[in-house]
Amino acid sequence: GEPSAQDLREVLALYLQHTEKYRQHAPGYAAAGGLYLLLGEPGQAATYSRKAIAIEPDYLAYRSLAIAASRLSAFDLAIKSAISASELNPVFRRDIDLMMSVAYAYISIDDVANAKASLGALLRARPEIRGHEQFDRLVAFVYQRAEALERTVD
């Protein structure tokens, strides 16, 4: 099954010890960032992901930073980080959490076209996502926001 929060915290403690000992080892910071994300701590996830990127940019660090930034309402950073992640990993469109976070970031800055494009790319890469509760809610939100923006223009 899924690891418990306690399990994640135990693994996180090991990575934090690792980063204290090996301060220039980017994967340790990236792993800590990902674990903080899983633990629902986007601020810490962003901090450790940025440390990893400063040492050696990699997909997982940018991915964690993009998702964390979206959760922190730092939408421009979320989009920039997702773009950087996509440049490092061409199959990023299969990453459900990343693509949904980026779509949310786009719609939050009223960029309807890119929000729809992100969701469409995810649906093409992962057709099984149709019917997934979070995906369906996000699609509905994007289309409701698009309609509201159109009414504002009229």
Side-chain angles (χ1 to χ4, degrees):
E2 292 289 316
S4 69
Q6 180 61 34
D7 293 338
L8 294 174
R9 291 219 175 271
E10 288 173 10
V11 173
L12 175 61
L14 295 173
Y15 276 107
L16 294 177
Q17 288 173 355
H18 178 84
T19 59
E20 283 297 313
K21 187 173 182 178
Y22 304 101
R23 294 187 181 273
Q24 293 300 309
H25 190 244
Y29 289 104
L35 287 164
Y36 274 122
L37 198 58
L38 290 172
L39 288 164
E41 298 182 36
Q44 287 290 80
T47 297
Y48 279 85
S49 297
R50 281 184 168 138
K51 287 180 182 182
I53 291 164
I55 297 166
E56 182 182 338
D58 99 321
Y59 173 77
L60 292 176
Y62 276 119
R63 175 196 187 272
S64 293
L65 183 55
I67 295 168
S70 184
R71 291 180 183 168
L72 293 167
S73 300
F75 302 119
D76 288 337
L77 177 60
I79 292 164
K80 288 176 187 171
S81 299
I83 290 168
S84 294
S86 72
E87 292 168 352
L88 294 168
N89 184 347
V91 296
F92 75 100
R93 287 181 180 86
R94 296 190 52 75
D95 189 324
I96 293 170
D97 291 334
L98 177 62
M99 294 301 289
M100 287 181 50
S101 292
V102 110
Y104 181 75
Y106 276 126
I107 199 60
S108 296
I109 61 169
D110 297 337
D111 187 339
V112 174
N114 277 317
K116 287 180 177 179
S118 297
L119 292 172
L122 176 58
L123 187 58
R124 285 187 298 282
R126 301 286 297 266
E128 72 275 10
I129 190 116
R130 190 181 304 269
H132 182 273
E133 183 182 348
Q134 285 181 306
F135 178 80
D136 290 347
R137 275 196 318 232
L138 183 55
V139 168
F141 177 70
V142 166
Y143 280 87
Q144 288 168 359
R145 184 73 185 127
E147 288 174 13
L149 290 170
E150 285 178 25
R151 283 194 301 270
T152 305
V153 172
D154 295 339

